[in-house]
Amino acid sequence: MQLYTLASGSSGNSTLCIQGNTCLLVDAGISCRKITTRLAQIGRSPEKLNGILVTHTHSDHISGLNVLLKNRPVPVYATRAAGQELLRRIPSLPPERLYILEPGEEITLGELTVRPFATPHDSPGSVGYRLSGGGRRAAVVTDLGWLAPEVLEALDGVNLALVEANHDVEWLRSGPYPPALQARILGDHGHLSNEMGGALAVRLARSGAGTLILGHLSKENNTPEKARSVVSAMLERAGCTHTRLYVAPRDELAGPFEA
């Protein structure tokens, strides 16, 4: 199994999971042009996607979806609450191409088994995804306010994961964001700090994850170097030296990351 990040950050997110001949796109939060160009870099095209999995309906996860779906009969998968919002906001998505998933419900799409799990974020029906195929397991999970038990249970035993390391707490508190936005990000339905992302990384490494990718970094309140430094130090202190650690770039293709 392979993961590619097409973009990962507070301004746009999109991830591709490949198992054999099956290709699933997780979110489409960058322009259709960028998605198409980055898929072409690895010999893929939007027409060949087996489906698009939507984590939630904030614009940095769906902004390219309307154009991407025009004249392309790609099925879209989302929770009921997120799906209702998609039907309101995405004119090119007909109801018959929207498939409703519920957290904990597994479905098989080609050579991949997909299991959504609820995530604590301020968007109705927000989920992460666990993907299994070929005896390997991967997960895409960002936009977390805290490490909820259902999230940890869903991630147990994955080989590869894209996880959130959104911000440095002190940088956020001393930066230009207004108090209300700071409170939102730091709240239980906001985003994980580098330290919380590191705690999740340690948990996953101890349960067998060999590859971890840090994603959804804030442009204003974090840097790749800062996130990597904090999380790698936590992994080292925990004795998890076997785990490979990467930082997903904000606005370019990266991968493949192997499960």
Side-chain angles (χ1 to χ4, degrees):
M1 190 189 303
Q2 296 179 327
L3 280 188
Y4 290 86
T5 58
L6 279 59
S8 185
S10 51
S11 56
N13 298 272
S14 190
T15 304
L16 185 71
C17 182
I18 300 175
Q19 174 65 41
N21 293 317
T22 301
C23 296
L24 296 177
L25 192 68
V26 182
D27 290 332
I30 54 176
S31 71
C32 177
R33 182 188 299 272
K34 288 183 178 181
I35 291 173
T36 302
T37 298
R38 290 168 195 176
L39 289 177
Q41 289 178 249
I42 53 174
R44 308 282 173 170
S45 69
E47 289 76 13
K48 298 297 184 181
L49 292 172
N50 295 85
I52 300 172
L53 309 175
V54 175
T55 61
H56 63 290
T57 58
H58 285 164
S59 61
D60 60 319
H61 294 261
I62 65 166
S63 63
L65 190 58
N66 187 47
V67 176
L68 185 65
L69 292 177
K70 287 182 178 178
N71 303 313
R72 295 186 178 101
V74 181
V76 174
Y77 298 85
T79 60
R80 188 170 304 281
Q84 290 171 349
E85 181 69 12
L86 289 174
L87 291 175
R88 286 193 292 269
R89 294 173 55 184
I90 309 297
S92 64
L93 175 61
E96 63 270 17
R97 292 219 323 263
L98 174 65
Y99 296 84
I100 298 301
L101 302 177
E102 295 302 336
E105 172 191 355
E106 287 192 349
I107 63 166
T108 299
L109 301 175
E111 298 172 67
L112 284 166
T113 298
V114 177
R115 175 188 168 191
F117 53 92
T119 51
H121 193 51
D122 56 356
S123 180
S126 178
V127 292
Y129 288 99
R130 178 179 174 124
L131 306 111
S132 305
R136 310 297 284 173
R137 299 164 298 279
V140 177
V141 55
T142 61
D143 299 77
L144 298 170
W146 63 294
L147 301 179
E150 57 267 34
V151 172
L152 298 178
E153 185 276 329
L155 296 177
D156 191 44
V158 299
N159 308 107
L160 164 66
L162 170 64
V163 300
E164 182 171 49
N166 178 256
H167 60 274
D168 176 272
V169 174
E170 292 308 314
W171 290 5
L172 174 62
R173 286 176 171 160
S174 62
Y177 282 9
L181 181 54
Q182 292 184 29
R184 172 189 171 263
I185 293 169
L186 294 168
D188 284 349
H189 291 82
H191 294 279
L192 293 186
S193 67
N194 289 333
E195 288 76 14
M196 290 299 291
L200 179 56
V202 168
R203 164 102 181 203
L204 296 184
R206 285 176 169 167
S207 70
T211 303
L212 295 172
I213 311 155
L214 304 179
H216 212 293
L217 275 65
S218 168
K219 183 179 181 180
E220 294 80 11
N221 303 303
N222 210 354
T223 65
E225 296 76 19
K226 180 68 171 178
R228 184 193 300 274
S229 174
V230 170
V231 176
S232 63
M234 293 178 70
L235 287 168
E236 185 173 350
R237 287 196 298 270
C240 302
T241 55
H242 64 284
T243 300
R244 298 176 295 276
L245 182 67
Y246 302 92
V247 180
R250 169 173 299 279
D251 195 26
E252 60 186 68
L253 177 72
F257 303 102
E258 305 276 351

